[in-house]
Each structure stands twice: as structure tokens, then as C-alpha cells.
Amino acid sequence: MTKLQIFLEIATEAALAGGQVLQEYLGKLEDAIIEKQRPGDLVTAADKASEVVILEILRRHFPEHSILAEESGKLGNQENEYLWAIDPLDGTTNYAHQYPFFAVSIGLLINGVPQVGVIYDPFHNELFRAAQDLGATLNRRPIKVSQTSELSKSLLVSGFAYDRRETSDNNYAEFCHLTHLTQGVRRSGSASLDLAHVACGRLDGYWERGLSPWDITAGVILLQEAGGKVSAYDNTPLKIESGRILATNGYIHNSLSQELQNIPPLSSYISKSLRDG
């Protein structure tokens, strides 16, 4: 096997192991749910236990690699060309409420570029995998993005950052604007699964802000290998560390990018609702 194939297999092993932990804890957390610094930003015993299992597997196979994990932060030599970005439980709020939309996300950046990604939805037993030039799969079967070519016929997905209560830069206006222009906008609560669902054609586009590398690294390579496109909002190259992403099937990318750059203020929708009310 090539190096990337080896990395993909080990990432798969780690994701499946982490997912097994999440299944074991689901519905059994009781008081083991903690709110972090921002309201609504939760961590549970399951997050931590899943991360322990994932880290043990990755360190056993790749002790020299660097790691960026949601709960443990930076580990190892951060100057190493290999950086694993790990979210042991993406969709913690959903998980804490036993809402069945959460996943394990493990991505590998090589010299800052996403090249391997595994996203595992343990509740639905859906395993998304991809590596550079090796294609993208769902449960080992090839996947491709949708062919929706008009924004008006698209189904989009987005999310809201944890600091949405504290900043006007909170995505509410974009959500309203694009709901008016498309067949709908969904809000799932798991960035990795949003990207995975665009990759397999269930959704046509996704945008969000306030993200961390562990939220999107795996999803970026998955979507690219499925034929999709990722960028910054303004269609310039994506910077993983920016916290903002525009991801689509490629066909609606330019249109969605243009709309994101010309969003009216939220107050205009409120005024319209009052007039129509």
C-alpha cells in the first residue's frame, strides 16, 4: 500500500474505535455534561473517552506525527509535516440531547494540505473515507457530489458559531437570505457530517464560520475527492485556519460565493417580516 492508503486505514481504525465509544456512552451521560467557556459549547465524558482511544491508536502507529485534537489541543512536534486534526465527537450538543446526528472526524494534513479524511457516523453506521487521488467512499462504495446547477433548486446546510450571541458576525443574515433563494437551508449541528452529505450528494452546498481545523479537515478532502469544491467565501483558496468555509458540488459554487458577498443586513428581513406579518 502507498503511504496515503496506510494513513487512511489507520484513521479508519481510529474512527471506528472512537465511534464505538460514543455508542456505548449514548444515553448514559447523566450529569457528565460540562459547559465550556461559551454558553452552548458542551463537552461530555464521551468526547474525552473517544479522544483517548483515537489518540492511542494514532500514537501507536505514528509516534512522530503531530496532533491537533479538540479536547487535548496541540500534541507532539507541531513542526512535523504530518498533522492529525481530530474531533472525537462532532455534534456534542446533539449527542447530549440524544439527537442522532453526530460523528467522529479524523483528518490528516500534510504540509498544511488536507490529504486523508475519515468521518464516521456511528448511529447510522455510515463510514465516509477519502485520500488524495484515491477517491471518496461511503461504506466502501464510491460517492459523488450532486449535479444541481441552479442555486434556486439547491438544498444547502449551515451552522452557527458558539459566539453567535456575542457578535453580529453570526451567520443569521446569510441563513435568512439563502433560505429565500433556495429550496431550503438546513442546520444539522455537525460540520463534518454537513461536508460528508455534500460529498455524497444529499446536499448541494455548505457554508459556515467560527470553525476549527478539526471540524473540517476530513470533510475537505472527502468533498474534493467526491468532485466538489471548497474555498473561502470570496472564492479564493481556502485557509483551514481561517474558520470559514464555502463547500459545494462545484456547479453552484460561484453563485453561492457571490450571494455570500452581497448579503443584506439581518434587519432587512426583520422589517420585511413585520410588513408581511
Side-chain angles (χ1 to χ4, degrees):
M1 290 192 293
T2 66
K3 272 191 175 183
L4 288 184
Q5 288 173 318
I6 293 171
F7 295 153
L8 182 61
E9 292 304 321
I10 301 306
T12 300
E13 177 189 348
L16 291 173
Q20 179 62 39
V21 170
L22 299 185
Q23 285 287 60
E24 292 170 357
Y25 274 85
L26 186 62
K28 303 174 184 177
L29 291 172
E30 298 178 348
D31 297 326
I33 302 173
I34 301 170
E35 196 164 57
K36 295 181 184 180
Q37 294 180 349
R38 292 193 179 100
D41 188 4
L42 306 181
V43 63
T44 72
D47 295 71
K48 296 178 180 180
S50 174
E51 186 165 293
V52 167
V53 169
I54 292 167
L55 291 177
E56 189 280 325
I57 291 171
L58 293 180
R59 284 169 158 171
R60 172 161 33 95
H61 288 280
F62 312 117
E64 74 282 5
H65 288 190
S66 56
I67 291 172
L68 178 62
E70 181 174 16
E71 306 309 329
S72 302
K74 296 179 179 179
L75 301 170
N77 175 18
Q78 294 296 303
E79 300 302 316
N80 191 283
E81 64 178 317
Y82 298 105
L83 173 64
W84 292 94
I86 301 165
D87 194 337
L89 172 47
D90 183 25
T92 301
T93 301
N94 289 346
Y95 184 86
H97 289 271
Q98 298 183 55
Y99 182 74
F101 205 87
F102 53 86
V104 176
S105 180
I106 301 175
L108 175 64
L109 298 111
I110 303 178
N111 292 318
V113 179
Q115 294 200 32
V116 174
V118 177
I119 299 168
Y120 180 48
D121 173 352
F123 191 90
H124 299 99
N125 194 29
E126 291 193 327
L127 177 67
F128 298 88
R129 308 190 332 145
Q132 184 75 47
D133 298 325
L134 296 178
T137 62
L138 165 54
N139 291 345
R140 312 284 176 162
R141 296 183 177 182
I143 56 174
K144 289 293 182 184
V145 294
S146 71
Q147 294 186 323
T148 303
S149 59
E150 297 177 39
L151 198 57
S152 62
K153 296 180 180 179
S154 68
L155 181 63
L156 306 181
V157 67
S158 189
F160 302 108
Y162 291 118
D163 65 353
R164 61 188 181 276
R165 299 172 178 86
E166 306 156 15
T167 176
S168 58
D169 185 23
N170 57 23
N171 203 27
Y172 293 159
E174 287 91 337
F175 195 94
C176 291
H177 181 73
L178 290 165
T179 297
H180 281 239
L181 294 182
T182 65
Q183 290 188 346
V185 179
R186 303 293 181 252
R187 195 265 175 146
S188 74
S190 171
S192 63
L193 284 180
D194 289 342
L195 285 162
H197 288 188
V198 176
C200 71
R202 294 171 182 169
L203 297 164
D204 306 304
Y206 163 68
W207 85 98
E208 193 170 348
R209 65 190 68 187
L211 298 164
S212 298
W214 53 72
D215 294 313
I216 60 174
T217 294
V220 165
I221 184 61
L222 184 76
L223 180 59
Q224 289 174 329
E225 286 297 306
K229 181 177 180 180
V230 297
S231 74
Y233 281 14
D234 62 1
N235 218 351
T236 57
L238 174 69
K239 295 180 179 178
I240 291 286
E241 68 279 5
S242 72
R244 298 190 179 208
I245 187 172
L246 170 59
T248 74
N249 62 5
Y251 299 103
I252 63 167
H253 203 89
N254 292 339
S255 297
L256 185 50
S257 173
Q258 188 171 27
E259 291 297 337
L260 284 172
Q261 296 175 73
N262 295 286
I263 301 293
L266 183 62
S267 58
S268 67
Y269 297 99
I270 298 172
S271 299
K272 185 178 186 302
S273 297
L274 291 173
R275 290 196 305 270
D276 297 343

